[in-house]
Amino acid sequence: MGKGFFISRSMAWGALLLGAVAVAMIVALSIVYAQEKSKNVSGPNGRTMAVTTVSTSTAAPTTTPTPSNNTWDRYRLPDTLKPQYYNLTLWPRLQVNQHGLYIFTGNSSVVFTCVKETDLVLIHSNNLNLTDIDGHLARLTALDRTIAPAINATWLQVETEFLVVQLKGKLSAGRSYQLDTEFQGELTDNLGGFYRSEYDEDGEKKVVATTQMQPTDARKAFPCFDEPAMKAVFYITLIHEPGTVALSNGMDKETVNATIEGTEVTVTTFEPTKRMSTYLVAFIVCDFAYISASNENVLIRIWARRKAIEKGHGEYALNVTGPILKFYESYYNTTYPLFKSDQVALPDFNAGAMENWGLITYRETTLLYDPHTSSNRNRERVVTIISHELAHMWFGNLVTLRWWNDLWLNEGFASYMEYLGADHAEPTWGIKDSIVLNDVHTVFQIDALVSSHPLSSREDEINKPEQINELFDSISYSKGASVLRMLSEFLSEPVFVKGLNTYLNQFAFSNTVYSDLWDHFQQAVDNTPSISLPHTVTDIMNRWILQMGFPVVTIDTRTGGLSQKHFLVDPKSVVKRPSEFNYEWYIPITWMKTGLGQESYWLLQKTATHTPLITTENEWVLANINVTGYYRVNYDGANWERLVHQLSSDHQVIPVINRAQLVDDAFNLARAKIINITLALGTTKYLYRETEFMPWESVVSNINYLFFIFDRTEVYGPMQAYFKKLVTPLFSYFQKITLNWTRVPSGHNDQYNQVNAVWLACLTGLQDCNNLARGWFRQWMQDPANNPIHPVLRTTVYCVAIAEGGAEEWEFGWEMFRNASIAVEAEKLRYALACSRVPWLVNRYLLYTLDPTKIRKQDAASTIDHISGNVVGQLLAWDFIRERWEYIIKQFGTSFYNVINGVTRRFSTKFELKQLQQFKKDYGSGAPALEESIVRTVANIGWLAENKEPVLNWFLSQNSKS
Ligand SMILES: *[C@@H]1O[C@H](CO)[C@@H](O)[C@H](O)[C@H]1NC(C)=O
Ligand SMILES: *[C@@H]1O[C@H](CO)[C@@H](O)[C@H](O)[C@H]1NC(C)=O
Ligand SMILES: *[C@@H]1O[C@H](CO)[C@@H](O)[C@H](O)[C@H]1NC(C)=O
Ligand SMILES: *[C@@H]1O[C@H](CO)[C@@H](O)[C@H](O)[C@H]1NC(C)=O
Ligand SMILES: [Zn+2]
């Protein structure tokens, strides 16, 4: 799935930073809904398949035996059967039936081979109402002209989501059988399985039937062997209302009109799929329009609401898809395995996007781009998410990990590749560098807690759907991407690519475990004499994937000594999770010395000495060049001083990514009490001369923490004054290059940094900034049809104007939100409305999040998170969710727990800790987000006690200098 599935960094760190992170804030939750009863309506009589024998059993009616330790009580499929292909027909109804429900009916035949003798057929089925066939929930027949054993009993094992077919005799190994089912399900609005999405077009309500199967919801659409290794071919047919469009993984092959059960329908049959996993199956019935292009033999289509296509919002996606596909074909050295690539923008969608093979689904905001209302950040999001999903077409879809415990490799890989693909499509953006801010620095925050976990889980640890869902987190995505980037760097890209090519080649259409990939990289290394590693790829990489966390490397430039230590942001925390590697890593160190080029060194022990690192009095050492390694760096005090001095005298000597790194490492080392906070603050002093995006972004994310911790204390005033002084030259710089704010800068990163300038200037109370924002907003209020605010600055300006304004501004913002015809614009407003500081407005907005006619269900969590980003909103949000917790969890599922993380981000007192602990006692022991919040609060309390005084004094002393 695309990013945005898990709570992104903004959840924990960014809400204050509207400009910088607003769009990354889209929060999507893996919502596991309570089981719902489906109503009894008979299924369509779809086509029948040629079968040789029909089972003649007339055994007992459906019963559910009491639980025991039977095969059907385990969550994993036994290794007795292997599917070959499915014949699947589905008929979604886009109008409610007489019970007021949206339903679908269907039938499915799966042909499977028995690999081990068994008298049991277990197949996943969840929330489906199966129709009786000859007294059972399924019919079994044998192929190969033999006779299938008769059915003894069939029943649904609800807990493990199985349809159990118990036989009177045994299936024979080597033989093939066919299982037929007919069923009905509800097209719910809960964004999983086969579900519905609604939108208005020209005052008319339109319903879309669509799917989201990953990870375990294909079983909600049809009975299936719903594990990634159970690859099969799918022959799909959709029955739908004439005039609507039906889409699936394969190209439509035949469309005929027919009358079924007295209803005129269109029957669309699709080309059979490749051999693939159930979680990649997709089908959609809609009234969308499309634009298309041809990329050699591949048909590319972008689908969306008719209005959006008419207005050209799909053009950008169409333009970048071809080049990205081509890039991957050459990078993977494998042609795109299908003949078409459909990409569809859905009004309601849980994840950022989903890589269904040949039919990728997106949120509207991640596929559609309107140059008039979208910012460069929206555009970057579109190109990177498309790039992410297309990367999966090979890595994930063609070659699939055997089980979900290796999810990190699938998602980490796509999260790394998305930068390479996007860079190919937008070569002037320098987008590859942004992995450092977006992924490495972001996931460091999570991975520096004892509540983190290793990238790789053991297969037997991951069984239940909830356990699988929990793996879709920033560790899997961002840490996965970071360590793969490190691997690619120390192998060199050609070797990395070579290993990847042979891996994809060998395992096409089948399944692997992560060590298969390591083996192929090792072969590539062995075939490349110019490269030598101190250990095997497996030995090096296992240290990064089998133990959680990452090291801080300390370099002493007086002695040339190096040492490594597991970096924990809370120095008091106790690591309970054992590691076979003792929390030591094999670390590829890159470094440079004043005026000299890059060198490298492997740190293989806890401590070592490398004499070239010794410096003379005026030299400094800088390590982890461009942050290609997944570790932080600390130095002896004198070296820190020299680096800070270098920044102040000529910052350009230090590579721009490392300027961002110095700030991020220093602030985090200070939080971990490894260095003084005043030293970290010292790395910001040079910024009055800095105009580059990455260092500013790094500062802005780090002082975010200071603002959260201090915005209710006496430190706030002096801190604000200091940062105001620092940002004023940047604000003036942008005022100048934008000709007094009449245009936006041309550079991609300059556009971002302009947002930082305006945001920080307004936040710190620079009057020119507030006047600018409020003036623009007023102007817009007077003439709503002509928004004078450039899309790049809208999120920031809206937020500032609403934060400083009252009911009038808020109501206007709300009206424009309701009126917005494009999702990205609506999203900016939805975010900005959370900036209000007026309690009754904030409380009313909180209530709106529980009303799906006001705030879409998919947006509820992120809206609450946004609200808690502001100092007034946080208190109200905390009360709000505590008061309604049971209701909220019933509505949104347990993954809503993640909201706690954002709402409690400021917590830094014993009193607040007590509230959290009470909350845990009342509602949720064991929820990871709650644990994380408690750990963080404890750390904040300790940090505040030690640092409040020095920080206050430092700001006061800086402010007294002129
Ligand atoms: C570091 O990154 C910059 C910016 O992407 C690049 O120009 C430079 O070549 C990189 N340095 C090394 C040593 O790879
Ligand atoms: C840290 O700061 C304190 C007070 O500002 C000072 O006394 C102490 O020496 C500093 N420690 C280091 C290692 O610089
Ligand atoms: C910038 O524009 C504002 C508003 O139009 C105007 O008041 C101000 O004088 C302009 N400043 C400069 C330096 O041109
Ligand atoms: C909102 O949209 C409606 C219909 O398109 C329009 O009549 C109304 O004027 C719009 N409101 C504003 C404030 O633009
Ligand atoms: Zn993905």
Side-chain angles (χ1 to χ4, degrees):
M1 264 179 270
K3 279 188 209 183
F5 189 82
F6 57 87
I7 304 286
S8 61
R9 70 159 163 157
S10 43
M11 204 63 190
W13 306 102
L16 206 84
L17 284 181
L18 32 142
V21 293
V23 180
M25 267 182 199
I26 289 116
V27 173
L29 300 165
S30 59
I31 298 176
V32 184
Y33 282 89
Q35 306 245 338
E36 294 183 31
K37 286 194 188 103
S38 39
K39 302 283 182 298
N40 194 6
V41 179
S42 66
N45 285 317
R47 70 211 152 136
T48 47
M49 302 254 320
V51 289
T52 46
T53 318
V54 175
S55 119
T56 54
S57 156
T58 53
T62 312
T63 54
T64 303
T66 46
S68 61
N69 201 19
N70 288 309
T71 320
W72 51 78
D73 291 320
R74 290 180 216 135
Y75 288 84
R76 294 293 302 273
L77 288 166
D79 57 356
T80 47
L81 310 175
K82 264 206 155 62
Q84 293 172 22
Y85 61 89
Y86 294 79
N87 260 304
L88 173 63
T89 301
L90 286 161
W91 184 7
R93 314 293 156 78
L94 304 189
Q95 269 107 31
V96 292
N97 66 10
Q98 70 270 30
H99 306 291
L101 292 176
Y102 288 91
I103 62 150
F104 63 93
T105 52
N107 62 67
S108 171
S109 307
V110 54
V111 170
F112 58 85
T113 307
C114 174
V115 281
K116 270 190 197 163
E117 200 176 69
T118 178
D119 59 0
L120 204 58
V121 179
L122 283 187
I123 186 167
H124 286 105
S125 177
N126 186 14
N127 278 4
L128 291 173
N129 194 3
L130 294 163
T131 308
D132 258 27
I133 309 176
D134 309 329
H136 291 296
L137 299 179
R139 176 199 295 131
L140 183 74
T141 48
L143 302 186
D144 323 328
R145 294 179 215 284
T146 57
I147 296 186
I151 294 176
N152 181 40
T154 55
W155 70 90
L156 292 168
Q157 197 66 28
V158 174
E159 170 60 27
T160 47
E161 304 178 352
F162 282 127
L163 161 62
V164 186
V165 180
Q166 203 175 39
L167 304 173
K168 289 180 172 158
K170 297 217 168 191
L171 301 177
S172 321
R175 291 247 159 83
S176 295
Y177 302 87
Q178 174 173 324
L179 188 78
D180 302 335
T181 48
E182 281 180 28
F183 48 88
Q184 186 210 306
E186 191 184 342
L187 278 178
T188 62
D189 60 358
N190 63 16
L191 315 177
F194 200 11
Y195 72 94
R196 75 173 193 279
S197 168
E198 296 172 10
Y199 63 98
D200 278 318
E201 201 160 64
D202 298 328
E204 196 189 327
K205 179 167 126 176
K206 300 259 172 110
V207 178
V208 180
T210 184
T211 55
Q212 168 62 40
M213 307 307 198
Q214 194 187 27
T216 58
D217 282 342
R219 61 192 70 166
K220 283 186 182 165
F222 60 102
C224 54
F225 296 96
D226 200 9
E227 293 191 359
M230 294 289 174
K231 290 195 174 184
V233 172
F234 296 84
Y235 294 80
I236 295 172
T237 300
L238 290 174
I239 301 173
H240 52 110
E241 204 174 299
T244 58
V245 176
L247 298 171
S248 187
N249 303 83
M251 196 66 194
D252 51 297
K253 184 172 72 171
E254 191 183 31
T255 301
V256 295
N257 290 325
T259 305
I260 302 181
E261 295 171 1
T263 309
E264 305 248 317
V265 293
T266 300
V267 180
T268 301
T269 310
F270 298 90
E271 295 283 355
T273 66
K274 301 280 181 197
R275 237 175 79 79
M276 65 177 215
S277 307
T278 47
Y279 80 87
L280 295 168
V281 171
F283 23 84
I284 296 175
V285 173
C286 62
D287 182 36
F288 287 170
Y290 72 96
I291 48 174
S292 68
S294 208
N295 186 51
E296 283 156 21
N297 289 329
V298 180
L299 173 67
I300 299 167
R301 294 185 293 191
I302 308 293
W303 297 83
R305 289 181 286 108
R306 290 178 176 280
K307 275 273 152 62
I309 291 294
E310 264 168 38
K311 288 187 184 155
H313 297 172
E315 299 286 346
Y316 181 65
L318 187 66
N319 291 342
V320 295
T321 298
I324 295 173
L325 276 179
K326 246 188 156 141
F327 166 75
Y328 285 139
E329 289 192 320
S330 94
Y331 195 89
Y332 290 131
N333 194 21
T334 313
T335 49
Y336 178 70
L338 313 177
F339 292 110
K340 65 112 169 165
S341 169
D342 280 320
Q343 298 182 90
V344 188
L346 293 164
D348 291 282
F349 195 66
N350 204 11
M354 176 63 214
E355 70 267 20
N356 313 302
W357 218 2
L359 181 59
I360 309 177
T361 45
Y362 295 84
R363 281 187 171 210
E364 290 198 344
T365 48
T366 58
L367 189 67
L368 303 181
Y369 174 74
D370 171 14
H372 303 297
T373 53
S374 308
S375 67
N376 61 326
R377 187 169 296 276
N378 301 137
R379 190 160 147 193
E380 180 179 317
R381 187 145 198 265
V382 169
V383 71
T384 49
I385 297 205
I386 289 177
S387 181
H388 177 107
E389 304 311 327
L390 293 178
H392 277 309
M393 298 299 113
W394 289 263
F395 203 101
N397 296 9
L398 179 63
V399 179
T400 310
L401 276 319
R402 189 174 72 195
W403 181 242
W404 297 110
N405 63 311
D406 280 335
L407 178 81
W408 72 272
L409 186 50
N410 190 20
E411 291 305 349
F413 195 87
S415 300
Y416 171 56
M417 287 304 294
E418 72 184 46
Y419 291 98
L420 309 194
D423 181 59
H424 186 78
E426 293 287 1
T428 63
W429 289 2
I431 202 170
K432 284 200 254 182
D433 294 348
S434 37
I435 191 172
V436 173
L437 296 175
N438 296 350
D439 292 288
V440 186
H441 282 176
T442 309
V443 76
F444 272 170
Q445 304 291 349
I446 308 286
D447 209 18
L449 303 172
V450 283
S451 53
S452 186
H453 60 87
L455 271 174
S456 185
S457 309
R458 285 208 326 265
E459 183 168 348
D460 61 7
E461 285 174 334
I462 306 299
N463 293 299
K464 302 182 186 187
E466 305 91 273
Q467 292 168 331
I468 296 166
N469 274 303
E470 274 173 19
L471 295 175
F472 289 84
D473 68 359
S474 59
I475 296 288
S476 293
Y477 283 75
S478 295
K479 183 178 181 177
S482 304
V483 303
L484 290 168
R485 171 168 172 262
M486 176 168 71
L487 173 66
S488 175
E489 290 286 336
F490 74 71
L491 291 179
S492 78
E493 197 171 15
V495 174
F496 184 81
V497 167
K498 209 151 66 174
L500 189 60
N501 293 165
T502 58
Y503 168 85
L504 289 173
N505 218 325
Q506 181 175 343
F507 298 108
F509 303 108
S510 62
N511 295 79
T512 56
V513 291
Y514 73 81
S515 55
D516 292 325
L517 184 60
W518 294 170
D519 291 346
H520 279 261
F521 285 135
Q522 188 63 47
Q523 282 167 29
V525 169
D526 295 342
N527 292 331
T528 312
S530 61
I531 168 171
S532 83
L533 296 178
H535 290 282
T536 62
V537 171
T538 300
D539 281 347
I540 295 168
M541 291 310 290
N542 280 357
R543 281 166 171 72
W544 297 95
I545 64 164
L546 299 181
Q547 54 187 354
M548 69 174 183
F550 58 91
V552 49
V553 171
T554 301
I555 295 175
D556 190 333
T557 59
R558 293 163 302 186
T559 61
L562 298 104
S563 62
Q564 59 164 300
K565 185 167 182 282
H566 182 189
F567 179 77
L568 293 165
V569 73
D570 175 6
K572 289 213 197 78
S573 53
V574 178
V575 177
K576 298 211 181 84
R577 190 190 286 271
S579 161
E580 59 179 307
F581 307 111
N582 274 320
Y583 292 102
E584 284 174 31
W585 289 265
Y586 294 156
I587 309 171
I589 305 221
T590 52
W591 60 277
M592 63 193 270
K593 209 183 243 187
T594 321
L596 299 176
Q598 182 179 323
E599 303 278 342
S600 49
Y601 174 79
W602 279 94
L603 179 58
L604 303 170
Q605 298 88 27
K606 205 169 171 55
T607 59
T609 304
H610 187 54
T611 50
L613 289 166
I614 299 175
T615 56
T616 62
E617 215 159 278
N618 298 314
E619 287 175 328
W620 43 256
V621 161
L622 176 72
N624 201 5
I625 305 306
N626 282 358
V627 196
T628 54
Y630 189 68
Y631 57 91
R632 292 198 184 278
V633 189
N634 183 26
Y635 307 94
D636 56 287
N639 195 65
W640 271 116
E641 291 299 337
R642 289 180 200 135
L643 286 167
V644 168
H645 186 255
Q646 181 65 62
L647 286 175
S648 297
S649 56
D650 180 4
H651 59 275
Q652 313 267 15
V653 171
I654 295 183
V656 62
I657 301 178
N658 287 93
R659 303 207 291 275
Q661 171 218 25
L662 284 171
V663 171
D664 199 67
D665 278 356
F667 271 93
N668 283 282
L669 292 169
R671 285 179 60 193
K673 300 185 191 160
I674 295 173
I675 65 172
N676 261 353
I677 181 65
T678 50
L679 174 54
L681 288 167
T683 62
T684 67
K685 283 195 297 191
Y686 89 101
L687 280 161
Y688 68 96
R689 294 210 282 204
E690 179 67 89
T691 55
E692 289 271 357
F693 165 66
M694 289 191 65
W696 268 108
E697 179 71 5
S698 185
V699 168
V700 157
S701 339
N702 280 292
I703 61 173
N704 206 3
Y705 173 73
L706 298 182
F707 276 90
F708 282 138
I709 293 287
F710 290 127
D711 67 4
R712 298 173 297 169
T713 74
E714 72 271 27
V715 181
Y716 190 63
M719 179 169 82
Q720 213 189 12
Y722 171 76
F723 286 112
K724 182 169 158 182
K725 205 168 75 178
L726 220 50
V727 76
T728 302
L730 190 70
F731 186 81
S732 305
Y733 167 79
F734 280 108
Q735 182 170 25
K736 201 165 121 207
I737 70 167
T738 60
L739 309 179
N740 198 20
W741 312 106
T742 55
R743 57 169 70 171
V744 292
S746 53
H748 183 67
N749 281 336
D750 284 342
Q751 291 189 16
Y752 283 160
N753 208 26
Q754 180 199 19
V755 177
N756 280 335
V758 172
W759 174 77
L760 191 58
C762 281
L763 180 76
T764 55
L766 188 69
Q767 206 51 48
D768 284 353
C769 183
N770 289 316
N771 292 344
L772 183 71
R774 291 167 64 181
W776 270 334
F777 201 77
R778 280 266 145 205
Q779 204 180 323
W780 187 32
M781 285 170 73
Q782 277 150 19
D783 182 7
N786 291 302
N787 188 341
I789 310 159
H790 192 278
V792 169
L793 286 171
R794 280 185 190 169
T795 312
T796 311
V797 169
Y798 293 171
C799 176
V800 171
I802 285 171
E804 304 238 320
E808 206 187 329
E809 283 78 7
W810 202 95
E811 299 295 357
F812 176 75
W814 179 251
E815 191 180 346
M816 298 320 280
F817 168 71
R818 301 287 280 183
N819 251 20
S821 63
I822 175 154
V824 290
E825 177 67 11
E827 205 149 89
K828 288 168 188 168
L829 287 158
R830 182 170 62 82
Y831 173 69
L833 290 166
C835 298
S836 173
R837 307 276 163 98
V838 181
W840 71 271
L841 290 172
V842 174
N843 265 330
R844 192 181 57 177
Y845 197 30
L846 282 165
L847 281 171
Y848 286 1
T849 63
L850 302 185
D851 178 353
T853 67
K854 293 200 162 63
I855 298 291
R856 283 178 184 271
K857 220 165 169 175
Q858 63 179 8
D859 297 328
S862 66
T863 304
I864 294 173
D865 182 65
H866 294 338
I867 291 171
S868 68
N870 94 52
V871 66
V872 173
Q874 184 217 308
L875 278 171
L876 300 173
W878 177 230
D879 285 347
F880 177 82
I881 62 170
R882 277 188 297 174
E883 209 166 282
R884 293 167 183 79
W885 189 248
E886 277 165 335
Y887 174 78
I888 288 175
I889 287 298
K890 214 182 278 161
Q891 284 291 303
F892 295 95
T894 51
S895 52
F896 211 81
Y897 268 111
N898 290 325
V899 167
I900 304 275
N901 237 328
V903 174
T904 63
R905 58 162 80 76
R906 280 187 178 77
F907 281 16
S908 50
T909 65
K910 292 208 169 101
F911 178 65
E912 287 161 336
L913 178 64
K914 222 184 247 168
Q915 290 184 341
L916 254 178
Q917 284 162 336
Q918 185 61 43
F919 186 81
K920 178 180 164 183
K921 211 182 285 166
D922 292 347
Y923 298 116
S925 54
L930 199 45
E931 293 303 325
E932 276 169 31
S933 300
I934 290 176
V935 169
R936 192 186 49 234
T937 304
V938 170
N940 286 350
I941 292 170
W943 192 87
L944 196 61
E946 276 177 38
N947 291 295
K948 196 163 140 192
E949 279 306 309
V951 168
L952 179 60
N953 291 335
W954 192 85
F955 283 126
L956 289 172
S957 75
Q958 293 299 316
N959 293 344
S960 65
K961 293 178 196 162
S962 59

